[in-house]
Amino acid sequence: MSTTTEGSTRRGKKPVGQRAAEWTDPRLGLYKLAKSNLRKIFPDHWSFMLGEICLYSFIILILTGVYLTLFFHPSMNEVVYHGPYAPLQGVRMSEAYASTLHISFEVRGGLLIRQIHHWAALIFIAAMLVHMMRVFFTGGFRKPREINWLFGWTLLFLGMFTGFTGYSLPDDLLSGTGIRFADGAVLATPVVGSYLSFFLFGGEFPGHDIVARFYSIHILLLPGLMAGLLTAHLILVFYHKHTQFPGAGKTEKNVVGMPLLPIYAAKAGGFFFLVFGVIAAIAATVSINPIWTMGPYRPDQVSTGAQPDWYMGFSEGLIRVMPGWEINAWGHTLVLGVFIPLMIFPVVLAAIAVYPFIEAWVTGDKGEHHILDRPRNRPVRTGLGMAWLSLYFVLLIGGGNDLWATHFHLSLNWITWFVRIGFFVVPVLTFLVTKRICLGLQRRDRDKVLHGRETGIIKRLPHGEYIEVHEPLSQEQRHVLTAHVQPEPIDPGPEVDENGVERKINPVSKVRAKLSRGFYGENGQIAKPTVEEYEEITSGHGHH
Amino acid sequence: MKKLSARRRHPLAALVVLLLALAVTGGLYAALAPAPKAQADDSAQSLAIEQGKKLYSVGCASCHGTSGQGSSDGPSLVGVGSAAVDFQVGTGRMPAQQPGAQIPKKKVIYDQAEIDQLAAYIASLGPGPAVPTKDQYSPTGADAGKGGELFRTNCAQCHNFVGKGGALTNGKYAPTLQGVAPKHIYEAMLTGPQSMPSFPDSTMPQDTKADIIAYLKEVDSSTSKNPGGLSLGSIGPVSEGLVAWVFGLGLLLGIATWIAARTTKAKKS
Ligand code: HEM
């Protein structure tokens, strides 16, 4: 490395690439970094590519977003429209709205880029949600990856707000209604609500500042934070190495898969173009947020069917189904109908954020985990995840209640009541059903290990009995079904001490022991077959 | 010009304007409202009323009463005017069938001549808004931009920003306005069917009604192309979210599964 002075090979000069590398390496030290990282192993599983979908749609968002900034004017100054779209001729509107019309109808490729940007945003957040649920259901958040869970969670949260500020920018009737909604939420904050609102909008709603403020938040603040967090997120994935599903040859100490270079990188690069292709194809054929049909925002106008983008739909649902309660006291009004939903949102978000820590505390699990759980083997966690998803879905129904009403010929009031009751009932039912299903699957796994796979072949025995032939599993398959650890619930110790006197157990540990029994007690998991059981069955009478 | 604007601030100006407005509406009313008795002598007219009465007693009297006075099954039709009849029967809402949250549109069972006769008969029961003439409701020459603004202010909260319709409470709904004839749009505004408010000429002058009709014609997706591609029903972000999940993420997950299956499986076999 240090003797690069003469620089002459067989045909005079070294190849350019080599020379470039030799120039940069002593200065940047890339070689060492690359050597240790480029051979990192990545396991293959479709669900491990969800994070990649997030990453690529984020990149697409940045690229298309930059193009849009070239033509968008974040100003609320009033202009009169004289562009090519006839139904808006002569209409007064903000410059922000006019420039979005300009992008849509006059800038070359503008409409396509706008549509790619918006579709990518929807897909980005959808992919983040599914990625998060993948990590959740497989226990990918356990030690040592809790911090990365928090990074990811923050990305999801920021992603939602980037989306919200983004669709508020064009200042059309729909986005204005969305800002109005946010203003309502701000106003419902006790005591300081109206001050906050004045501060946010620089005066009385809608004011003249909000678009410009949202603009810098949307294009600078949030994407900047997200880019940083995303990098940290990926560095941690590299540092921890990827988790893997249980399987033959996979242990807590190794990673089985493809090296980053060349195979994984080639696949990932190809995947980027596929993601881009899918989003571009949708954007080229399907309209999204056709702001020209909505008209400019005016506080005195509103349209039916005014919903936010899907990822904010739950908040719309919360508000729509919440009874309009109010408390009037001391000359102030506390709008519970908005304030309670406003509080549910952060509580649910926070619950998701701290879940890894709660689970570790409840189960007393302090170990490192690099092998993922099969969701069925952790029925309580899987049940909780499904319960939260069902809650989310119920709220989405509430957010789109008018469309459910018109498209399925239902009464709006019925749907509202369904959502109000469902908010409390559906998650509980989902939890119970999911847990049941998981336990059933565990039981089936156990049967499969002990008695083999049902082949569907029916055999008639000499004495006339019919039996189904069971084929024993391969060793690999048995490994997958039995590799998981089945933890014991925490034992809070005996209720009474050796003298028969009631022991004082601190109530917190009592709750903890109870929860832990819920997770891993006899109702929480089905004992997997032991070696003895297996041997007894296989050595003895075999199949029955 | 100067003179006029100076006079505009005169204390009596408001009174003058009010009187003028009254005179104009009064005049319009006299011109447009069917004057029941004076014209009834017209033989063609009385023939139509005669025919209409016959049709009425067969098809409508069971609910609206033998002479339009109303019954427990239908409201009084005295004074609803020919516009209401032309709208209700011309869009197939009347004769109503089974009771429900809202009387739906059905196949129109009377031809236009019969509808005119029915309308003439109902109009003869008491003065009410008359069927508009073609130059009243024709969108040609009207201002679609202004119509759009008026539509978003007065109608979009029920009918959605491009008239795709929406839900109201208790199973009622505002129907889609796509493909509705200009005459019926005009009449709907004039008479306010069922849960829709009416927009008489006093609050929404004739030419602004035509502006709204022009706007609705411009945004009717069955006749005008959507620049962005498939419009997904123009019902806003809900259908977009559905597409993002089902086609966007669904397709990408399919691709991910395919890529992940490529190497591991290929190696094994
Ligand atoms: C900007 C959005 C995000 C990007 C670009 C991203 C990217 C990635 C990538 C590429 C991986 C490795 C491959 C994989 O397992 O899919 C990963 C892993 C991970 N992500 Fe994300 N992610 C994002 C959001 C999230 C969210 C919202 C969460 C959860 C709250 C999260 C939690 C995790 C965790 C804990 C891991 C390690 C999981 C494991 O190795 O099994 N990420 N992320």
Side-chain angles (χ1 to χ4, degrees), chain A residues 504-520:
Chain A
K504 271 234 150 62
I505 306 176
N506 125 17
V508 177
S509 3
K510 254 197 205 153
V511 171
R512 184 180 177 204
K514 208 160 180 196
L515 288 173
S516 165
R517 237 173 303 135
F519 261 83
Y520 295 130

Side-chain angles (χ1 to χ4, degrees), chain A residues 226-499:
Chain A
M226 288 180 84
L229 273 167
L230 201 151
T231 316
H233 191 72
L234 294 182
I235 289 176
L236 275 185
V237 172
F238 255 64
Y239 172 70
H240 291 137
K241 306 196 181 58
H242 206 291
T243 49
Q244 52 191 344
F245 278 108
K250 301 185 181 173
T251 71
E252 290 283 8
K253 301 251 149 58
N254 68 1
V255 192
V256 179
M258 303 294 153
L260 178 63
L261 227 90
I263 299 171
Y264 192 80
K267 282 198 343 189
F271 194 39
F272 172 77
F273 287 105
L274 283 166
V275 173
F276 197 85
V278 166
I279 294 179
I282 293 179
T285 46
V286 189
S287 171
I288 189 164
N289 200 15
I291 48 119
W292 54 91
T293 63
M294 296 160 194
Y297 181 61
R298 271 177 43 182
D300 60 333
Q301 298 178 343
V302 68
S303 168
T304 182
Q307 267 100 359
D309 276 358
W310 75 262
Y311 43 88
M312 286 289 177
F314 67 92
S315 57
E316 177 84 17
L318 277 169
I319 298 275
R320 282 193 184 194
V321 305
M322 181 73 200
W325 296 335
E326 279 185 5
I327 298 178
N328 288 298
W330 304 293
H332 286 278
T333 308
L334 182 59
V335 191
L336 290 178
V338 182
F339 183 65
I340 293 178
L342 194 67
M343 286 296 102
I344 293 178
F345 176 43
V347 166
V348 172
L349 266 178
I352 297 175
V354 299
Y355 183 81
F357 305 97
I358 294 183
E359 192 191 292
W361 175 73
V362 166
T363 59
D365 180 2
K366 296 205 177 62
E368 287 214 355
H369 298 279
H370 301 285
I371 297 272
L372 293 171
D373 287 324
R374 297 171 74 227
R376 69 184 59 174
N377 290 333
R378 299 289 177 255
V380 172
R381 179 203 294 150
T382 307
L384 288 175
M386 290 304 288
W388 126 256
L389 283 182
S390 72
L391 177 69
Y392 196 84
F393 190 70
V394 165
L395 287 178
L396 282 184
I397 293 181
N401 58 1
D402 53 338
L403 296 171
W404 286 82
T406 47
H407 286 244
F408 298 96
H409 299 285
L410 301 167
S411 158
L412 200 66
N413 308 51
W414 280 98
I415 300 173
T416 304
W417 274 105
F418 166 78
V419 174
R420 282 180 186 166
I421 298 168
F423 180 85
F424 298 101
V425 176
V426 171
V428 177
L429 285 181
T430 313
F431 175 80
L432 294 174
V433 169
T434 311
K435 201 175 145 199
R436 264 290 149 79
I437 293 176
C438 288
L439 291 176
L441 288 171
Q442 282 191 33
R443 229 171 260 130
R444 213 181 63 182
D445 284 352
R446 183 184 151 88
D447 281 350
K448 271 211 256 175
V449 171
L450 292 180
H451 305 297
R453 186 174 62 87
E454 291 172 6
T455 54
I457 302 170
I458 306 290
K459 204 156 85 177
R460 187 170 173 212
L461 298 182
H463 55 273
E465 190 194 340
Y466 287 94
I467 59 157
E468 187 180 0
V469 177
H470 284 235
E471 187 191 330
L473 298 186
S474 69
Q475 199 180 351
E476 268 179 46
Q477 287 166 321
R478 282 201 309 271
H479 178 89
V480 170
L481 299 190
T482 54
H484 58 288
V485 179
Q486 293 199 306
E488 295 280 322
I490 291 175
D491 185 6
E495 301 246 317
V496 287
D497 63 16
E498 58 270 29
N499 302 324

